[in-house]
Amino acid sequence: MVAWSGETPVESLVETRVVQGMPPSGGIGYANELPADRGEYGVLLNRGRLPARPGERGRPLFSSVHGNRQRRAMRKLLCQSCGGPASMDGRGVLWLLDETVDAREPGWPEGQITAHPPVCVECAGEAVRQCPALGPGKGYTAVRVRLPVLCGFHGRLYTPGPVRPLVAEARTVIGLEDPRLPWLLATQSAVRLEGCTVVRLEEETGHR
């Protein structure tokens, strides 16, 4: 799901949404909006990373996410690193979680919300060896998840402005029931992890 430097962003101007010539109905949209610009629950999708040329030109931007690939990986339960099927067995799909402050909460990781797609066993091993967020001194937890549930979207939240919508927050997750969802320019899907079983990654090589 990593963006590449050769995938030049294509920015589109966000406007307050107008329906059938009536005053603004609430929410944001594009002036030349297409059906493909809307995702699940009618959320407006960011066009900024539409080109899809991973590995063709440039270099990987490990701190930047290609929104289209991230949402596809979540929807189809694909490995976030290689794009192949994530590891799945009777206990569920394999996820790697960094041990943030949430890890100290009772019952964690049950109910954890994440924008990181699952992984396959092979890529999970590489990730804990090479990823700065999971490496030595950081910590990680490997989890099998029976039921990953789409619960919201990650992106830029806008508010009404005198001429154009204004950015209220640069990055945030808005839930599906949140009345602010029509004002979100979504880049990534967020899921809630239910039916979690913590596992030892070094013992998972036999579970494909």
Side-chain angles (χ1 to χ4, degrees):
M1 69 176 186
V2 170
W4 283 67
S5 59
E7 297 171 322
T8 305
V10 179
E11 299 296 340
S12 296
L13 188 64
V14 174
E15 299 182 345
T16 302
R17 195 177 186 191
V18 177
V19 178
Q20 296 179 349
M22 300 298 289
S25 60
I28 54 175
Y30 298 126
N32 57 340
E33 191 173 307
L34 302 173
D37 292 325
R38 296 277 167 179
E40 300 101 321
Y41 295 86
V43 68
L44 186 67
L45 302 177
N46 185 13
R47 291 176 173 177
R49 285 288 181 186
L50 276 180
R53 307 184 186 93
E56 292 183 14
R57 286 188 317 201
R59 57 186 176 81
L61 305 175
F62 292 108
S63 61
S64 183
V65 173
H66 191 288
N68 289 0
R69 288 198 288 274
Q70 188 273 351
R71 294 190 300 272
R72 181 174 182 270
M74 283 293 208
R75 187 172 61 253
K76 294 181 174 293
L77 297 179
L78 303 178
C79 175
Q80 62 172 282
S81 295
C82 69
S87 177
M88 182 181 300
D89 66 11
R91 299 165 298 170
V93 184
L94 182 63
W95 245 273
L96 280 184
L97 305 177
D98 60 322
E99 293 184 345
T100 61
V101 66
D102 294 333
R104 297 195 291 269
E105 294 297 321
W108 188 89
E110 187 69 26
Q112 172 75 14
I113 294 175
T114 182
H116 296 289
V119 291
C120 67
V121 171
E122 292 82 359
C123 290
E126 287 296 317
V128 298
R129 287 190 292 270
Q130 299 187 31
C131 179
L134 304 173
K138 298 293 184 179
Y140 71 92
T141 299
V143 183
R144 291 282 181 178
V145 181
R146 288 184 181 274
L147 187 62
V149 180
L150 177 68
C151 65
F153 294 91
H154 179 277
R156 287 182 289 172
L157 182 64
Y158 285 75
T159 59
V163 179
R164 296 190 183 280
L166 305 175
V167 177
E169 296 183 38
R171 297 179 181 180
T172 189
V173 174
I174 298 296
L176 300 180
E177 305 299 325
D178 195 312
R180 298 174 297 171
L181 188 62
W183 293 93
L184 184 73
L185 183 61
T187 54
Q188 304 175 48
S189 300
V191 299
R192 183 174 61 253
L193 306 181
E194 299 182 358
C196 295
T197 301
V198 175
V199 298
R200 292 176 58 85
L201 187 59
E202 56 269 28
E203 297 175 357
E204 292 300 296
T205 54
H207 301 276
R208 308 290 172 152

